[in-house]
Amino acid sequence: MATMTSLIGLINKIQRACTVLGDHGGEGLSLWEALPSVAVVGGQSSGKSSVLESVVGRDFLPRGSGIVTRRPLVLQLHKTEDGQQEYAEFLHAPRKRFTDFVGSEPIQLECETGIASVRKEISDETDRITGKTKQISNIPIHLSIYSPNVVNLTLIDLPGLTKVAVEGQSETIVQDIENMVRSYVEKPNCIILAISPANQDIATSDAIKLAREVDASGERTFGVLTKLDLMDKGTNAVEVLEGRQYRLQHPWVGIVNRSQADINKNVDMIVARKKEQEYFETSPEYGHLAHKMGSEYLAKLLSQHLEIVIRQKIPSIIALINKTIDELNAELDRIGRPIAVDSGAQLYTILEVCRAFDKVFREHLDGGRPGGDRINGVFDHQLPAALKKLPFDRHLTLNNVQRVVTEADGYQPHLIAPEQGYRRLIEGSIGYFKGPAEASVDAVHFILKELVRKSISETEELKRFPTLQSDIAAAATEALERFRDESRKTVLRLVDMEANYLTVEFFRKINEPEKVPTRSGEKDKEKEKEKEKRKDNFSDNFSDNHLRKIGSNVSAYIQMVLETLRNSIPKAVVYCQVREARRSLLNYFYVQIGKKEAVSTGTCVGRIESLLWKIQHKLTWLVSFAKRQQLSAILDEDPALMERRAQIAKRLELYKQARDDIDSVAWK
């Protein structure tokens, strides 16, 4: 089972990749919008920034009057081990590491660092897009903070909601901010963190008002009350915190931020957390709620809930990724795939590197390197366990047996044995075998993909050529998918064959009467008993005993089929997938190289393919071919088309990498 760290880290990684490619939501369906996130919503001066800094345990956000947050800030928190140095990184400045979190002089590493410069970097990066104005932009800033004092969590800080445009702001700024915030929180995958000050009537809360509009049931909303210590004397917010004044599906959390005096004195945030907890524990109004109040509790609560939501959303994310990959591949096919340009020496090197990769991959399969034994584990453990769990007992209950037999008889009941009923019961039972059969195919497919990844990373010759790594990975994945599809067809045929032609000899044997030696005087009595038995069966075709016998016979037959398939399914999978992967994983890749060269010269593709498929000749032929041909002519392409292809390829790589990352985390 994937851990909280790996799940939230997975979403963080995909979000950063989306931002690099310009996918940050807001228009149409995108991968960004399919990812679960926590959006922080609140009015200006609601204490939103202070809540975020309390969760992080550091001062880092710009402060001031009016609209300070003018671009979404994607804040990714990564918990590190105790004793490790805290630092911050921006996605737009990957070579800079900010390490001074105590407000001292900046440390000189590769660049100027320090938490004070984190605040300045946020302001500068905001101005880079919006200018020195008070305008807003929906292009997010990504900030990652690594610290032992945080939990694994991702928060999106959004501009504070406002009611009036001030001098220097656009007349539409109020609606512009609301539209931006709404574009985030109206998505079904968004968790809303609604910040409201306790010293104002909750009925007037901008955050709660907006949350109610997009999440009427309150299933996605977490309410946070700030400034509890600033309420008028004699008043409290117990009714709100206990959910009696405004009920949400999740508990309200109270927060006591640092006072302005504490901020001016640079009171340490960890000390402030302790003071906050002491406030709740010693408060006569909130003491009974102290265990679920405070910024530390809020961070843990959100982190745990985000993990749950991510687990629930992974299937829909995978579905979107697969759909988009198909669309991008179709677009690449339409505008044309890129054509390789290689000299003879490069062709020689490519084939030598491919041969080295193929050797490592075979060693994994044959036992020279670890990994191939997992395939045997599928057949020895996973398949038998899946077969054992099949619900034959539910299919062969007396009621279901009677129903199936009756429906099979039609308007005229059977006379002796309900053959059609038997066949339908058997066919229905055999259908259950398709699930474990396909699961075995998919499990072996996943193992082979993992072995390809391992083989690529372990092939020394490939490390110099990252592009060739990608090409081999794509070609191997495509080949494995073809092998998987053929294997799936084969195992399903095995199941269908069992359903379409039954072993008659089995039923002949179970219907033969037992030959018991009897005395001559007892033969007549045995004959009479047999007549009575046949008479009873004919007159009461649907007695419990009769139906129970039918179910027992079918169950025995299915057990025989089970033993057959338990042996034949592994053979089919190994033949169609493992054997083919071992002998021809990159054959299609070699053919594609030949096709690309043939396009550049107009020579006969058929001759190339026939030579390439003969492995003993392909190396010699490719080298001699490269000596004769000039490949530079194929570079004459429309720059706009090449740019479009490059953009599609980048998006395709993003989605494929996201799919692989999800696969690797889901199987942990």
Side-chain angles (χ1 to χ4, degrees):
M1 180 178 292
T3 64
M4 182 188 301
T5 303
S6 60
L7 285 171
I8 297 179
L10 168 67
I11 298 302
N12 290 348
K13 180 179 179 181
I14 298 176
Q15 280 181 335
R16 290 195 295 270
C18 287
T19 300
V20 170
L21 294 182
D23 177 6
H24 43 76
E27 296 182 4
L29 186 62
S30 69
L31 180 55
W32 170 278
E33 292 178 353
L35 302 175
S37 59
V38 180
V40 185
V41 182
Q44 289 185 19
S45 303
S46 63
K48 183 165 59 71
S49 296
S50 295
V51 170
L52 287 173
E53 291 183 331
S54 294
V55 169
V56 174
R58 295 293 173 189
D59 290 312
F60 67 97
L61 291 173
R63 293 183 178 274
S65 60
I67 302 176
V68 179
T69 304
R70 290 181 286 127
R71 288 175 59 184
L73 175 66
V74 180
L75 178 62
Q76 298 178 341
L77 306 180
H78 308 265
K79 184 173 181 59
T80 59
E81 295 181 3
D82 291 340
Q84 290 192 357
Q85 187 179 31
E86 300 171 288
Y87 63 93
E89 291 181 343
F90 287 91
L91 180 63
H92 64 266
R95 296 182 180 178
K96 294 184 179 181
R97 177 175 289 190
F98 302 87
T99 57
D100 185 359
F101 280 78
V102 294
S104 61
E105 290 298 319
I107 298 174
Q108 297 294 330
L109 293 176
E110 296 181 7
C111 61
E112 184 181 35
T113 62
I115 194 61
S117 55
V118 170
R119 177 176 293 164
K120 183 176 184 300
E121 185 69 24
I122 294 175
S123 297
D124 291 347
E125 178 61 16
T126 299
D127 293 342
R128 188 178 67 83
I129 298 296
T130 64
K132 295 287 186 178
T133 66
K134 295 184 179 181
Q135 300 306 311
I136 62 173
S137 169
N138 67 340
I139 300 175
I141 299 173
H142 274 259
L143 172 61
S144 295
I145 294 180
Y146 300 80
S147 169
N149 300 318
V150 300
V151 296
N152 293 296
L153 181 62
T154 299
L155 301 165
I156 303 176
D157 184 22
L158 298 171
L161 297 166
T162 184
K163 293 183 173 65
V164 180
V166 299
E167 186 176 353
Q169 293 178 342
S170 167
E171 294 181 357
T172 62
I173 191 67
V174 175
Q175 192 61 46
D176 292 343
I177 292 176
E178 182 177 333
N179 290 342
M180 180 197 293
V181 175
R182 188 181 295 272
S183 71
Y184 278 85
V185 299
E186 68 185 1
K187 303 303 180 185
N189 295 324
C190 179
I191 301 165
I192 305 169
L193 188 63
I195 311 293
S196 304
N199 57 354
Q200 296 179 14
D201 189 348
I202 194 68
T204 65
S205 168
D206 297 321
I208 291 298
K209 176 179 177 294
L210 183 59
R212 180 185 294 172
E213 292 175 4
V214 299
D215 180 32
S217 65
E219 294 179 356
R220 298 188 287 116
T221 303
F222 284 80
V224 176
L225 273 187
T226 60
K227 305 185 180 182
L228 290 167
D229 54 330
L230 301 181
M231 296 183 70
D232 293 337
K233 187 172 292 187
T235 63
N236 61 63
V238 172
E239 288 192 355
V240 177
L241 293 175
E242 291 182 345
R244 288 183 282 138
Q245 187 168 343
Y246 185 80
R247 182 175 297 279
L248 296 171
Q249 298 294 328
H250 305 287
W252 283 81
V253 179
I255 299 291
V256 175
N257 297 322
R258 291 181 302 168
S259 65
Q260 188 60 48
D262 288 340
I263 295 174
N264 295 337
K265 294 176 183 177
N266 289 324
V267 173
D268 184 77
M269 196 69 73
I270 304 302
V271 174
R273 284 181 181 176
K274 293 180 180 178
K275 289 176 64 177
E276 177 188 44
Q277 195 59 38
E278 289 174 1
Y279 172 85
F280 285 113
E281 290 174 352
T282 59
S283 169
E285 294 91 355
Y286 309 120
H288 65 293
L289 299 172
H291 64 287
K292 51 182 181 180
M293 294 288 120
S295 55
E296 282 191 272
Y297 174 79
L298 175 63
K300 292 177 182 178
L301 181 67
L302 290 175
S303 180
Q304 292 169 358
H305 184 71
L306 181 59
E307 181 201 8
I308 293 172
V309 174
I310 291 173
R311 290 184 188 278
Q312 294 171 345
K313 298 296 182 181
I314 279 181
S316 61
I317 294 173
I318 293 176
L320 172 64
I321 289 174
N322 289 332
K323 179 175 179 291
T324 307
I325 286 175
D326 291 340
E327 292 173 352
L328 293 175
N329 275 321
E331 179 69 4
L332 279 179
D333 290 335
R334 188 183 68 80
I335 66 176
R337 299 277 178 173
I339 303 173
V341 180
D342 300 304
S343 66
Q346 288 173 326
L347 286 173
Y348 181 88
T349 300
I350 288 173
L351 290 177
E352 284 296 300
V353 172
C354 289
R355 183 177 295 172
F357 159 77
D358 200 45
K359 179 184 177 186
V360 174
F361 180 71
R362 291 186 183 187
E363 288 176 353
H364 276 294
L365 288 178
D366 296 340
R369 296 172 186 253
D373 56 303
R374 292 170 57 197
I375 296 175
N376 191 49
V378 172
F379 305 139
D380 280 355
H381 305 293
Q382 181 174 319
L383 177 60
L387 293 174
K388 188 176 181 180
K389 293 179 181 178
L390 293 178
F392 296 125
D393 53 341
R394 294 201 301 269
H395 185 64
L396 298 176
T397 61
L398 293 182
N399 289 338
N400 195 55
V401 170
Q402 182 176 3
R403 181 185 62 80
V404 172
V405 170
T406 302
E407 291 177 356
D409 283 344
Y411 74 93
Q412 184 172 343
H414 60 272
L415 299 177
I416 300 176
E419 180 171 332
Q420 290 303 318
Y422 267 106
R423 290 184 180 277
R424 291 193 184 182
L425 286 168
I426 291 172
E427 290 171 1
S429 299
I430 290 177
Y432 288 120
F433 290 118
K434 292 184 178 181
E438 291 185 292
S440 298
V441 171
D442 291 337
V444 171
H445 175 70
F446 175 80
I447 293 171
L448 292 174
K449 283 177 62 178
E450 285 295 306
L451 294 183
V452 166
R453 292 194 190 101
K454 283 186 177 181
S455 300
I456 289 175
S457 65
E458 294 172 5
T459 303
E460 290 295 327
E461 295 85 346
L462 263 177
K463 293 181 178 179
R464 291 175 51 200
F465 309 108
T467 301
L468 187 55
Q469 288 183 36
S470 301
D471 290 343
I472 289 178
T477 300
E478 187 175 349
L480 290 177
E481 288 173 353
R482 292 199 307 273
F483 303 154
R484 178 194 61 192
D485 293 343
E486 184 59 33
S487 181
R488 181 179 285 118
K489 292 176 183 177
T490 301
V491 297
L492 292 180
R493 286 193 191 105
L494 290 175
V495 177
D496 289 339
M497 285 190 290
E498 293 291 344
N500 282 277
Y501 190 81
L502 307 184
T503 305
V504 180
E505 188 63 26
F506 175 87
F507 292 96
R508 289 174 179 168
K509 288 181 179 179
I510 64 175
N511 286 325
E512 288 180 359
E514 296 183 3
K515 296 182 180 180
V516 181
T518 59
R519 299 175 183 175
S520 58
E522 296 178 348
K523 288 183 179 181
D524 292 339
K525 293 181 180 180
E526 292 296 329
K527 289 180 180 180
E528 287 299 323
K529 288 182 180 179
E530 190 63 30
K531 287 180 181 179
E532 288 296 325
K533 184 177 180 181
R534 287 197 296 267
K535 180 179 178 182
D536 290 341
N537 286 340
F538 181 78
S539 61
D540 190 4
N541 285 336
F542 298 114
S543 68
D544 285 354
N545 287 337
H546 184 58
L547 296 174
R548 192 172 291 109
K549 182 178 180 182
I550 293 174
S552 176
N553 290 342
V554 171
S555 177
Y557 184 82
I558 293 302
Q559 287 300 313
M560 182 189 72
V561 174
L562 185 150
E563 293 299 326
T564 301
L565 292 177
R566 184 159 60 184
N567 293 322
S568 59
I569 288 174
K571 294 178 181 179
V573 171
V574 169
Y575 184 85
C576 295
Q577 290 175 263
V578 182
R579 171 181 171 273
E580 286 300 306
R582 191 183 184 283
R583 64 191 289 267
S584 60
L585 184 64
L586 295 181
N587 277 8
Y588 187 70
F589 180 60
Y590 299 141
V591 173
Q592 289 303 101
I593 293 177
K595 284 182 178 179
K596 290 175 182 178
E597 292 181 345
V599 169
S600 68
T601 61
T603 55
C604 178
V605 173
R607 176 173 177 269
I608 294 173
E609 291 185 3
S610 64
L611 288 172
L612 287 172
W613 278 105
K614 299 176 182 179
I615 296 178
Q616 65 270 28
H617 298 303
K618 67 174 178 286
L619 181 58
T620 303
W621 185 87
L622 280 172
V623 173
S624 63
F625 183 90
K627 289 179 181 179
R628 297 194 307 268
Q629 306 300 330
Q630 297 295 324
L631 303 177
S632 59
I634 64 174
L635 292 176
D636 292 336
E637 286 190 292
D638 182 0
L641 182 65
M642 296 175 66
E643 177 64 22
R644 173 62 179 159
R645 179 188 292 128
Q647 291 175 355
I648 295 174
K650 286 180 180 179
R651 287 195 66 203
L652 187 60
E653 182 62 26
L654 163 65
Y655 280 81
K656 286 184 175 180
Q657 185 62 52
R659 182 174 62 182
D660 290 344
D661 290 340
I662 292 173
D663 283 345
S664 64
V665 171
W667 277 82
K668 285 182 181 178

